Structure formats: structure tokens, C-alpha cells
């Protein structure tokens, strides 16, 4: 029988992976982010109240870019105060601790300080960019629907969010 020169090439396709962990579900990541947001709001809303943010908004005055940038930076500082030690010691935020998930590198090791800075600089910094930051952040979050369940900030830092203790 003659060989068909128009036939698709045949090859055994296998995907090798050294992942020793189970990726966290999108729902666990979502609820961990919600917990982190609620904890942040408990601190930031009173600061915004005493800074007069709500008075201006109620009077129809839209906060300026500098005001928004200042509160964005205050938010980053509050995030670091609340979660910094947890992130460095276990790769978790308060929300991730409650939902038993953590951040690891591609080789299932705890992310070091530099990796965490890259990850959260992107995650927390992008929304602070005037005009386009919100759109980029939206795209960042939509990446969670990829097969690897990695947001764009995970890909930038080469990290995964995984279940703790195989759960």
C-alpha cells in the first residue's frame, strides 16, 4: 500500500508536568479575594470617611486623579501591613488562609519575596493607572478562565494558587 503524502503527521502527544499540587478552584480564589477585600474595607472605609471622601462624593464632587492615586497607595500599604508577613511565611493572604489555598511557584515551592513583589505589584498596581488601569485589571481577572486557572498577574510572576494539604 502506498503512503498518503497528504495525511496528517502522526505523533504521540503527551503533556509532561511536574506539578505535585492541585490547583485551587476558581470559586475558592474568588471567595478568598472577597474575604481580603472585606478586611481591607474594614480599614479603608473609615480612613476615607475621616478624609472627607464621602462628603465630596455626596456633594457631587468627583475625586481627582491624585486623590484616587493617594488612596490607591494607602490601600497597597494597608494590604502589605495586613498580609505581608502571611505572604512571606506561607504564601497566603488572610482570605487564602481561611479557604486553605496558597501561592506557589511552577515547581511547587513557596514563592520568595521577589516573586511575591512582582505578582502583587502587577495585581495591585495596574488598577492605579489612570483611564486604562481598570480595563487592564478586568483582562487580568478574565485570564482565570484559562485551563491553567492563572490570572495575568499569576502568569507575570510564574505562580499558581493551589489547595493546601491536597484539599
Amino acid at each position: 500500500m502506498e503512503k498518503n503524502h497528504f495525511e496528517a503527521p502522526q505523533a504521540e502527544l503527551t503533556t509532561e508536568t511536574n506539578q505535585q499540587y492541585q490547583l485551587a478552584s476558581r470559586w475558592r480564589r474568588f471567595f478568598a479575594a472577597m474575604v481580603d477585600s472585606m478586611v481591607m474595607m474594614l480599614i479603608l472605609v473609615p480612613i476615607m470617611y475621616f478624609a472627607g471622601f464621602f462628603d465630596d462624593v455626596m456633594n457631587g464632587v468627583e475625586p481627582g486623579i491624585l486623590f484616587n492615586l493617594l488612596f490607591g497607595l494607602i490601600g497597597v500599604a494597608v494590604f502589605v501591613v495586613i498580609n505581608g508577613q502571611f505572604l512571606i511565611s506561607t504564601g497566603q493572604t488572610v482570605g487564602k488562609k481561611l479557604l486553605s489555598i496558597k501561592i506557589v511557584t511552577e515547581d511547587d515551592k513557596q514563592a520568595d519575596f521577589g516573586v511575591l513583589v512582582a505578582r502583587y505589584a502587577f495585581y495591585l498596581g495596574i488598577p492605579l493607572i489612570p483611564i486604562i488601569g481598570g480595563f487592564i485589571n478586568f483582562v487580568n481577572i478574565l485570564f482565570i478562565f484559562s485551563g491553567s486557572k492563572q490570572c495575568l498577574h499569576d502568569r507575570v510572576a510564574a505562580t499558581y494558587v493551589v489547595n493546601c494539604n491536597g484539599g
Side-chain angles (χ1 to χ4, degrees), residues 122-144:
F122 190 91
Y123 180 67
L124 298 172
I126 290 297
L128 298 179
I129 298 172
I131 302 168
I132 63 167
F135 175 74
I136 296 170
N137 193 49
F138 181 67
V139 171
N140 169 32
I141 293 167
L142 285 179
F143 266 77
I144 192 74

Side-chain angles (χ1 to χ4, degrees), residues 36 79-80 82-94 96-97 102-103 110-113 116-117 119-120 124:
D36 290 336
F79 179 86
V80 170
I82 294 170
N83 296 298
Q85 187 58 43
F86 294 142
L87 282 165
I88 292 168
S89 63
T90 63
Q92 296 174 295
T93 60
V94 171
K96 285 179 177 63
K97 276 188 170 303
K102 64 181 178 177
I103 303 164
Q110 184 168 321
D112 65 26
F113 182 73
L116 292 169
V117 167
R119 185 179 197 276
Y120 280 101
L124 298 172

Side-chain angles (χ1 to χ4, degrees), residues 1-132:
M1 188 175 233
E2 277 187 40
K3 182 174 181 173
N4 182 353
H5 295 288
F6 299 104
E7 181 179 55
Q10 301 296 314
E12 186 177 327
L13 299 177
T14 59
T15 304
E16 286 189 33
T17 178
N18 62 352
Q19 294 178 347
Q20 303 298 318
Y21 48 79
Q22 181 185 15
L23 294 174
S25 74
R26 292 174 183 96
W27 284 111
R28 272 190 160 174
R29 291 190 67 173
F30 173 76
F31 286 118
M34 292 300 294
V35 168
D36 290 336
S37 296
M38 296 292 191
V39 170
M40 294 283 295
M41 286 175 56
L42 287 173
I43 296 168
L44 291 176
V45 168
I47 292 172
M48 293 170 76
Y49 175 79
F50 289 114
F53 174 82
F54 298 113
D55 293 338
D56 290 343
V57 170
M58 293 302 286
N59 291 324
V61 176
E62 185 176 337
I65 289 176
L66 288 177
F67 189 83
N68 286 333
L69 185 60
L70 173 65
F71 271 97
L73 293 173
I74 290 170
V76 169
V78 168
F79 179 86
V80 170
V81 168
I82 294 170
N83 296 298
Q85 187 58 43
F86 294 142
L87 282 165
I88 292 168
S89 63
T90 63
Q92 296 174 295
T93 60
V94 171
K96 285 179 177 63
K97 276 188 170 303
L98 287 174
L99 284 140
S100 297
I101 59 178
K102 64 181 178 177
I103 303 164
V104 297
T105 60
E106 290 177 328
D107 55 353
D108 198 22
K109 295 207 175 7
Q110 184 168 321
D112 65 26
F113 182 73
V115 169
L116 292 169
V117 167
R119 185 179 197 276
Y120 280 101
F122 190 91
Y123 180 67
L124 298 172
I126 290 297
L128 298 179
I129 298 172
I131 302 168
I132 63 167

